[in-house]
Amino acid sequence: DTAVSQTPKYLVTQMGNDKSIKCEQNLGHDTMYWYKQDSKKFLKIMFSYNNKELIINETVPNRFSPKSPDKAHLNLHINSLELGDSAVYFCASSQEKRGQYFGPGTRLTVT
Amino acid sequence: QKEVEQDPGPLSVPEGAIVSLNCTYSNSAFQYFMWYRQYSRKGPELLMYTYSSGNKEDGRFTAQVDKSSKYISLFIRDSQPSDSATYLCAMSPMDTGRRALTFGSGTRLQVQP
C-alpha cells in the first residue's frame, strides 16, 4: 500500500557507469518529480512531469534523462556517472491543491 | 542569499516542551507553504500544507504564515522523543499540483526523554 515507491533503495557503482532509478506512485496523481538531496540535506528540484509531459527541467547535466512511460511512473537514467552525482534522489508526486508526497529515496554512491 | 533560510540547529528540548521552528524567505511570490518531517534515511513526510497568511492547526502541530514579514513557523506542542527528526519548510508561488517546491535546508530537532 506504499504511496510512492522507488527502486533500488541503495545503489553503489563506479564512475563512468550508467544506472537507472525507478519510481511508481499509486495515488492517482498526475504530476511527478525528481529531487536531489545533497550531503547537507538540501533538497533541490531536478525534473517535473505532468501527464507524461516534461514541465520542469532545472539546470541538470544532460547525463540525467528522465522518462515517464505513463503518469504513474517516472524513471531517472544517469549516464557516465561522476563522483559528484553521489546523493540521495527522491521521487515525489502531487495533485492540484494538495502537497507533494515523497518516496523513500535512493541513496546513490559513486566510487 | 538563499531564497529560503532555515536555522540548521540542532535544537534540543526536553520532552513535553513547546517547539518553535521557523523559516524566512525572500520571494514575495510564494503563496503555498508546507512543513515536512524527515527521519534519518527516510523520505520527507508532509505534515502541514497552508495557503497564504494565517494559522492552521492539526493535532499537536500548528503552522503560521506571516506573508508581510515573509516568515513562517511550525509549533509542536507536548513534544515527544518520536518528534526527533529534521524539519523542512517548503514553499511555492503557485498551487503545488504542478510546481516544484523550494526548500529550506532543514532544522534538526532532538527531543530529550
Side-chain angles (χ1 to χ4, degrees):
Chain A
D1 59 346
T2 304
V4 182
S5 59
Q6 294 178 230
T7 53
K9 193 171 182 180
Y10 298 96
L11 187 52
V12 181
T13 188
Q14 292 184 327
M15 283 175 56
N17 285 348
D18 302 338
K19 291 293 178 186
S20 291
I21 306 172
K22 295 186 176 182
C23 177
E24 176 181 2
Q25 55 95 4
N26 62 6
L27 296 166
H29 292 168
D30 60 7
T31 306
M32 297 183 72
Y33 310 80
W34 279 110
Y35 286 84
K36 179 180 180 180
Q37 189 171 46
D38 61 24
S39 57
K40 295 185 179 177
K41 303 291 188 186
F42 188 64
L43 267 166
K44 190 168 182 187
I45 184 68
M46 299 174 70
F47 302 102
S48 171
Y49 267 78
N50 176 260
N51 278 325
K52 302 195 296 174
E53 180 185 346
L54 180 65
I55 56 172
I56 295 174
N57 182 355
E58 290 295 309
T59 308
V60 176
N62 56 15
R63 299 182 294 104
F64 290 79
S65 52
K67 188 164 284 188
S68 181
D70 56 61
K71 73 174 194 177
H73 295 85
L74 180 62
N75 303 324
L76 183 66
H77 188 76
I78 316 170
N79 289 329
S80 303
L81 278 155
E82 300 177 357
L83 291 175
D85 298 332
S86 295
V88 184
Y89 292 85
F90 287 101
C91 177
S93 72
S94 68
Q95 193 74 14
E96 284 191 21
K97 303 193 189 310
R98 300 173 192 169
Q100 292 183 13
Y101 293 84
F102 284 76
T106 296
R107 186 172 295 270
L108 172 64
T109 303
V110 182
T111 62
Chain B
Q1 184 191 5
K2 291 180 183 174
E3 275 192 289
V4 180
E5 298 280 357
Q6 190 174 5
D7 188 329
L11 176 63
S12 185
V13 301
E15 183 174 353
I18 296 175
V19 175
S20 172
L21 302 164
N22 311 294
C23 287
T24 59
Y25 62 94
S26 57
N27 186 347
S28 57
F30 287 141
Q31 299 220 53
Y32 294 82
F33 304 91
M34 281 130 282
W35 285 95
Y36 286 84
R37 177 175 63 196
Q38 186 175 22
Y39 292 112
S40 180
R41 296 186 171 257
K42 300 288 186 184
E45 173 192 4
L46 180 63
L47 287 177
M48 301 291 280
Y49 175 83
T50 56
Y51 168 68
S52 198
S53 286
N55 292 359
K56 182 176 181 179
E57 188 174 320
D58 185 359
R60 295 185 297 113
F61 299 95
T62 299
Q64 280 187 355
V65 175
D66 182 349
K67 288 188 66 182
S68 63
S69 302
K70 297 191 180 68
Y71 188 87
I72 69 170
S73 301
L74 177 71
F75 297 95
I76 307 174
R77 289 183 297 281
D78 187 26
S79 56
Q80 303 295 309
S82 59
D83 294 328
S84 298
T86 296
Y87 289 79
L88 302 156
C89 64
M91 45 199 79
S92 172
M94 298 177 67
D95 178 7
T96 59
R98 290 178 190 164
R99 288 291 182 267
L101 300 177
T102 300
F103 279 86
S105 53
T107 299
R108 191 155 62 95
L109 171 66
Q110 296 171 342
V111 181
Q112 308 293 339

